[in-house]
Amino acid sequence: DAMVIQNPRYQVTQFGKPVTLSCSQTLNHNVMYWYQQKSSQAPKLLFHYYDKDFNNEADTPDNFQSRRPNTSFCFLDIRSPGLGDAAMYLCATSRIQGSGANVLTFGAGSRLTVL
Amino acid sequence: GQNIDQPTEMTATEGAIVQINCTYQTSGFNGLFWYQQHAGEAPTFLSYNVLDGLEEKGRFSSFLSRSKGYSYLLLKELQMKDSASYLCVVMDSNYQLIWGAGTKLIIKP
């Protein structure tokens, strides 16, 4: 089945120790997103790739970086995690073709704990 | 600013009907989505409305009134597995997705 796969599902790190989360997709979607979601809050968009074009949200801290080496993979790097970065990180994909519904397909998420 | 309002939490009984409301104020409008999110899991797509009216999909229906900036999600014949958060999402004039904080729906036997 075509899908969005995130690894790891659970990540525990120490304060300040870098973390990399990965996302792969077999849907051949041209857009990939990284969202941060804290308990009982809406997902917050960190950045997205439209094909190879990187789009950073204005309020995304510099501590968060991303790489998309090819259309199937995307990585989220947290350079120096703080306690406030503990959250669920959601990768999503969509196929945007002109106007119309931009339906997102989400991976299962990576839950980050910072000690 | 852009804003989406939906109730924080609702409770309903198994087998009953529940309506979850959403009002929005955004920079333009290019469609409204409803997503379901079970605790600890990722959101899954439920419905999309871009024109006024009711869209029915099995036990779930979604309604949109663009002039009122209003939508609702109607769930019929509630099952215990419908216990989840329901997120209202609006796509604005720049095709950006504006997310509501979600409504936690608790189903009681």
Side-chain angles (χ1 to χ4, degrees):
Chain A
D1 287 341
M3 54 179 37
V4 181
I5 299 172
Q6 291 189 241
N7 283 299
R9 291 291 313 278
Y10 302 92
Q11 175 73 60
V12 179
T13 190
Q14 292 181 333
F15 184 95
K17 187 172 181 182
V19 160
T20 294
L21 307 177
S22 74
C23 177
S24 64
Q25 56 126 343
T26 59
L27 297 162
N28 200 28
H29 282 174
N30 56 345
V31 189
M32 294 186 78
Y33 307 79
W34 279 106
Y35 282 89
Q36 179 194 63
Q37 188 178 29
K38 298 185 177 180
S39 182
S40 301
Q41 295 183 20
K44 178 182 182 299
L45 182 64
L46 296 174
F47 22 60
H48 73 278
Y49 285 90
Y50 190 122
D51 294 322
K52 294 183 180 180
D53 294 334
F54 177 71
N55 298 273
N56 195 34
E57 294 300 298
D59 57 353
T60 297
D62 292 340
N63 195 28
F64 292 87
Q65 302 286 318
S66 184
R67 297 169 281 139
R68 189 181 186 186
N70 55 55
T71 55
S72 300
F73 285 88
C74 198
F75 297 94
L76 170 61
D77 300 308
I78 308 176
R79 294 193 295 187
S80 181
L83 297 179
D85 297 327
M88 176 77 90
Y89 290 88
L90 296 165
C91 174
T93 70
S94 69
R95 169 157 288 283
I96 295 180
Q97 293 175 317
S99 60
N102 179 17
V103 177
L104 270 60
T105 301
F106 284 87
S110 294
R111 180 165 295 282
L112 177 67
T113 300
V114 182
L115 300 178
Chain B
Q2 310 209 81
N3 194 52
I4 294 184
D5 287 316
Q6 49 182 135
T8 303
E9 186 174 297
M10 298 181 70
T11 302
T13 304
E14 189 176 16
I17 298 173
V18 71
Q19 177 174 310
I20 302 173
N21 295 324
C22 170
T23 57
Y24 61 90
Q25 293 155 340
T26 57
S27 303
F29 178 85
N30 273 307
L32 185 145
F33 303 81
W34 284 95
Y35 282 82
Q36 180 191 59
Q37 186 174 26
H38 286 100
E41 298 182 12
T44 55
F45 169 74
L46 288 179
S47 67
Y48 171 69
N49 294 69
V50 66
L51 299 176
D52 290 350
L54 188 68
E55 294 279 343
E56 296 186 77
K57 192 185 293 185
R59 294 188 299 115
F60 292 7
S61 303
S62 56
F63 171 83
L64 174 67
S65 169
R66 289 171 296 171
S67 63
K68 295 181 179 179
Y70 168 70
S71 173
Y72 68 72
L73 180 69
L74 190 72
L75 291 76
K76 302 176 185 176
E77 301 169 18
L78 285 169
Q79 302 174 9
M80 298 303 292
K81 67 178 182 179
D82 297 330
S83 292
S85 287
Y86 291 86
L87 297 147
C88 177
V89 189
V90 173
M91 188 160 58
D92 70 11
S93 57
N94 294 317
Y95 297 95
Q96 302 298 307
L97 296 176
I98 314 303
W99 291 75
T103 298
K104 182 178 181 180
L105 178 63
I106 299 169
I107 310 295
K108 296 186 174 180

